[in-house]
Amino acid sequence: MTKNKVGTQTLNFFTTPVIKSWASIVGPMEGQGPLQDYFDLILENNLDEGDKSWESTEQKLMQHSMEIALEKVGLQPANLDFYFAGDLLNQIISANFTARFLGVPFLGLYGACSTLAEGLALSSILLDGGYADRVGVSASSHHDTAERQLRYPTELGVQRQMTAQWTVTGGGSYVVESQGEGITITAATIGRIIDRGATNSNDMGTAMAPAAYDTIIANLKDLGRKITDYDLIITGDLGILGLSVLKKLLEQDGYPTHNVSDCGVLIYRADQDTHSGGSGCGCSAVVLNYLLQKMLEGKYRRIFLIGTGALLSPTSAFQGETIPCIGHGVVLEYNS
Amino acid sequence: MTKNKVGTQTLNFFTTPVIKSWASIVGPMEGQGPLQDYFDLILENNLDEGDKSWESTEQKLMQHSMEIALEKVGLQPANLDFYFAGDLLNQIISANFTARFLGVPFLGLYGACSTLAEGLALSSILLDGGYADRVGVSASSHHDTAERQLRYPTELGVQRQMTAQWTVTGGGSYVVESQGEGITITAATIGRIIDRGATNSNDMGTAMAPAAYDTIIANLKDLGRKITDYDLIITGDLGILGLSVLKKLLEQDGYPTHNVSDCGVLIYRADQDTHSGGSGCGCSAVVLNYLLQKMLEGKYRRIFLIGTGALLSPTSAFQGETIPCIGHGVVLEYNS
């Protein structure tokens, strides 16, 4: 029966769903970073004009990125058969309010920073399986909503540890269709929870690296591929420290790592003082905009994107629990 | 391409995935209710022996219900191709820790009380589409973890309003397979966000009723069915007040409602003083155990279960936002 599953974790999409359109909106800090030319809109302030709360701005980031993605291909929200979305906020309110605006059948996800990849994987299943013609996927995060919910009230001005990542203010949206020309999603590798006992919520990259490693190895094994069969293996988001841990894990097992990178490393310049790089559902959601553009330009033909999530809560952390982590991967291909 | 989609929101599963096994564990209050004979295990205390936190007990409810469901059919966790789960807690930690125990590819969901139905719908897509042979689905809630996170610290002893529902302490798990004998999932209707402007988080049933109504009407329209084509249309969980609102909405439009009920109404006796009945992801997750048993006994041949979620957060409520609601439906059939 499982004609579309290979190995233990990987699904093949033989009808090759196509990423038809995408868009991204980011905050001022991301707009000063090296990928600034690849975002559709850059806010002047983390609290957008007219908004009374950071939460309201985050929700707009998600909603407007989907509106722009739809506009680019002349579509309306009602043209989406289904919508997958999630964010970091409790009860995924950015996603819920965006889905309210769109008015289409909605499936809410929680995967922390793996949300976008989880959404792209599930969308591909619906499209490849004949359950939909067109699916929307969004993810967002906002530095200030995340800080005050998951760490400390921003007003406290607590000094950040050097191992910490900076939550990206950004929303990214994707319109995926069942067929057509363009960048295709050819496979997905669904992650398992990997928990090596890390408890430091100020160093999530190190906690997540083994989960990214697990999903990369599963993908290579399931598809019978070498790491060099990919032009780029990119995690989202281990940050600088986590990426170095992932590379060490791969190198220990004899894998080359020259083509391994991370969205959280790409999004900020070293002198932007983010410490270990970017994180948050919005990070891979906006950096993928850049990667897809580079695919169209011929820089990459086949990418493996692994969304990595640290699935802890402040409550579980305070109760002494370790950090369960996951990595969901999607294979993107473009043959110009 | 969308050979499996009918109308705007409904998916047909022609290969008819089968609910192979199920199990439930509840707290003492649910164990004193009218459905006590249909649960696998009843805890003596909301804080289970040996646990240091209610969160730990909730996670055990979910995990053990899946262990029992697997044991009933002689399976191990590793026999699951994929696992869908979610709960009410921030960052869905009950689901994350259960997925860590199971060790299989995991897709985290957030749909509030619609989580179980969302999981059953997505599982059916994976099974029907040839992406999996066997999928696990769980949902849980716990009265005390929910109260202190979403309402008031339990120790405050705040008087509950008469319109409020009582969050069920319970975990329910399901093993769904791509084929075989038994109760089948023949269709799913994915909900849209419906928000009629309700803001009272102590009356979520009234807020959610229009979302349940919307999904019921979409299902009937998409499948060309009458309400009486179902032996039972059951929401989870509108509670006593919400169910009366749903019935009024249906009756206003000329639909009969003698076969319309609600999981939150069934789970407690009137004299258990829960006010408007049960709620929480765990409510429909454990009541469905009872419903499936009644299907096997021949009481119902075709049920439409609509999981209803109130997708607000305390933050969005404090910021004056209205309550976005959703209803995800699955059609269950059994022909003995």
Side-chain angles (χ1 to χ4, degrees), chain B residues 37 90 98 136 169 191 200 204 239 274 332:
Chain B
D37 295 341
N90 293 340
T98 300
T169 298
N200 182 0
M204 308 244 249
T274 61
L332 306 169

Side-chain angles (χ1 to χ4, degrees), chain B residues 40-93:
Chain B
D40 291 274
L41 215 60
I42 297 170
L43 298 186
E44 282 181 30
N45 197 302
N46 266 6
L47 185 69
D48 197 33
E49 217 183 303
D51 284 339
K52 286 185 178 168
S53 69
W54 290 317
E55 286 74 15
S56 170
T57 297
E58 176 175 347
Q59 192 272 319
K60 275 170 52 181
L61 288 175
M62 187 189 278
Q63 178 178 320
H64 288 183
S65 69
M66 180 49 87
E67 289 181 273
I68 295 170
L70 288 166
E71 273 167 26
K72 284 181 183 177
V73 284
L75 295 172
Q76 301 291 323
N79 296 124
L80 296 173
D81 290 329
F82 296 100
Y83 181 56
F84 285 99
D87 55 88
L88 288 178
L89 296 187
N90 293 340
Q91 289 79 45
I92 58 165
I93 46 171

